[in-house]
Amino acid sequence: MNINSTLISGFQALNDIGYLIKNQRSLLLVTDKNIRAIPAVAALTEQLQRQAESLIVLDNVPPEPSQHDVAAQLQSLNGRQVEMVIGIGGGSVLDVAKLLSVLCLPDAPTLNQLLAGEKPTARLPSLLIPTTAGTGSEATPNAILAIPEQQTKVGIISPVMLPDYVALVPELTTSMPPHIASSTGIDALCHLIECFTATVANPVSDNYALIGLKKLFASLEASVAEPHNLQARLDMLWASYYGGAAIAHAGTHLVHALSYPLGGKYHLPHGVANAILLAPCMRAVRPAAVGKFAQAYDLLPDADRRLNEEEKSHALVDYFAALVRRLKLPASLDELGINADQLPQLVESALDVQRLIKNVPTQVSARMVRDIYLTLFPTQQA
């Protein structure tokens, strides 16, 4: 899969994007109200209003959008013609923007057809600007939607949805609260390590994953502790982008397969669900990926190079568990007041995510999935 997006990045990069939209008369801006209030985004909105004949703003994208939310967004446009879609926000906003770039095109498949597996063949020109450093949605062919009726999430996947332009602008991420910066950063980490160890990993995805992991290990904690450290924030945006690019060329696996039911059933934020699952899932995968875990461990700033590969692979899993604790993210479902009585349904739902389960580098059984989920309820096992 080729990623042909043009990237611009750096402090105040938004000052230079006017030329990207100069020939577009009718623009659709997709965001949410919190993001729209950021001064740099407000300034960009004014710039777009000056340049375009028509600017339509959809600023009510929810954190975990469902297919019903996207249908409502589309309906609110009332058939108005759009020439370009601009998405500014976290992964949910960017996913909705990608979908609307397809759905706003005349003769496009319907949303239900996309959910049923029909692939889009065209979209409107698009510009994606992430305000969190986690999903890497700006570099993936995926749009993830919650399906409330099934208490899970599904992915609509097509390289057609990859954008024309991406802007990585660190000042847009400085308003993230620490818990959001932490959880989205862990999401990026999951993308990188899962793609690196997936059965479908390849030299291209490995290259993206290794570059992204090195940037993430060096900058995640600094970006959380020092929100106005623009270099750390920019490095995290790049780590997130590389995670998305790795997904585009490979795919995630066990953490994401098990986190989708947690998001669908309990409405946990995606990064929080991934943080809870990161160490338990990687502990299960480790024996089948010792060499790659050792490679990833060597990218840690304080890696102990005297360890052998087996020791490095264990040390990496220990690092993941300690990182989640240091970032003050939940490490179990117990902490969130969730009961283990839904365990059978969680296992069944996770095993249904076969497009990800097939990427796991070891055999996955119901027993394995159940055992992993059980580790998330430590006090209920006592």
Side-chain angles (χ1 to χ4, degrees), residues 193-350:
I193 194 64
E194 286 182 273
C195 288
F196 188 49
T197 55
T199 57
V200 288
N202 56 74
V204 175
S205 62
D206 282 359
N207 190 48
Y208 284 128
L210 288 169
I211 296 171
L213 283 167
K214 185 170 184 178
K215 286 184 176 293
L216 186 143
F217 289 153
S219 58
L220 173 54
E221 291 183 85
S223 75
V224 173
E226 307 163 30
H228 294 283
N229 181 334
L230 292 181
Q231 187 58 56
R233 291 283 175 154
L234 181 59
D235 284 345
M236 279 304 301
L237 280 168
W238 275 108
S240 176
Y241 180 86
Y242 282 122
I247 290 173
H249 289 87
T252 57
H253 55 79
L254 196 58
V255 174
H256 277 72
L258 271 64
S259 77
Y260 283 167
L262 295 183
K265 176 69 180 174
Y266 301 115
H267 308 293
L268 292 184
H270 181 60
V272 172
N274 284 354
I276 292 169
L277 286 160
L278 174 59
C281 286
M282 290 301 105
R283 192 168 287 113
V285 166
R286 185 205 62 80
V290 169
K292 286 206 161 179
F293 272 36
Q295 274 185 273
Y297 172 82
D298 282 338
L299 299 174
L300 293 173
D302 59 351
D304 184 350
R305 301 286 168 75
R306 297 168 299 177
L307 302 179
N308 61 37
E309 282 197 343
E310 184 77 12
E311 292 168 332
K312 288 176 180 178
S313 71
H314 282 288
L316 183 69
V317 177
D318 292 342
Y319 168 84
F320 290 153
L323 177 64
V324 170
R325 289 195 298 271
R326 288 198 301 273
L327 292 174
K328 297 181 173 58
L329 291 167
S332 74
L333 294 177
D334 276 343
E335 297 174 40
L336 301 174
I338 293 173
N339 197 281
D341 59 0
Q342 299 295 321
L343 199 56
Q345 293 94 323
L346 289 174
V347 173
E348 182 180 356
S349 295

Side-chain angles (χ1 to χ4, degrees), residues 2 8 60-61 137 269 277 351:
N2 292 323
I8 59 174
N60 58 347
V61 178
S137 178
L277 286 160
L351 291 172

Side-chain angles (χ1 to χ4, degrees), residues 65-232:
S66 71
Q67 82 273 36
H68 307 300
D69 296 314
V70 175
Q73 299 274 5
L74 194 61
Q75 188 173 16
S76 72
L77 293 174
N78 293 318
R80 286 178 287 179
Q81 294 300 303
V82 175
E83 292 184 357
M84 185 177 190
V85 177
I86 300 172
I88 307 179
S92 295
V93 166
L94 300 189
D95 282 2
V96 170
K98 287 192 289 189
L99 285 170
L100 290 176
S101 73
V102 170
L103 294 168
C104 287
L105 200 65
D107 304 320
T110 66
L111 179 57
N112 284 337
Q113 287 171 326
L114 293 178
L115 286 166
E118 185 170 338
K119 298 298 183 184
T121 57
R123 59 159 171 76
L124 294 170
S126 61
L127 162 64
L128 298 183
I129 307 171
T131 59
T132 61
T135 68
S137 178
E138 67 278 2
T140 77
N142 306 351
I144 307 300
L145 293 179
I147 308 296
E149 295 81 359
Q150 299 172 21
Q151 295 187 332
T152 190
K153 297 181 179 182
V154 300
I156 296 171
I157 303 169
S158 169
V160 167
M161 292 194 293
L162 287 163
D164 297 281
Y165 308 107
V166 172
L168 303 179
V169 187
E171 63 267 30
L172 294 187
T173 71
T174 58
S175 61
M176 276 193 295
H179 71 281
I180 300 294
S182 297
S183 62
T184 55
I186 291 294
D187 190 23
L189 172 53
C190 291
H191 295 162
L192 292 161
I193 194 64
E194 286 182 273
C195 288
F196 188 49
T197 55
T199 57
V200 288
N202 56 74
V204 175
S205 62
D206 282 359
N207 190 48
Y208 284 128
L210 288 169
I211 296 171
L213 283 167
K214 185 170 184 178
K215 286 184 176 293
L216 186 143
F217 289 153
S219 58
L220 173 54
E221 291 183 85
S223 75
V224 173
E226 307 163 30
H228 294 283
N229 181 334
L230 292 181
Q231 187 58 56

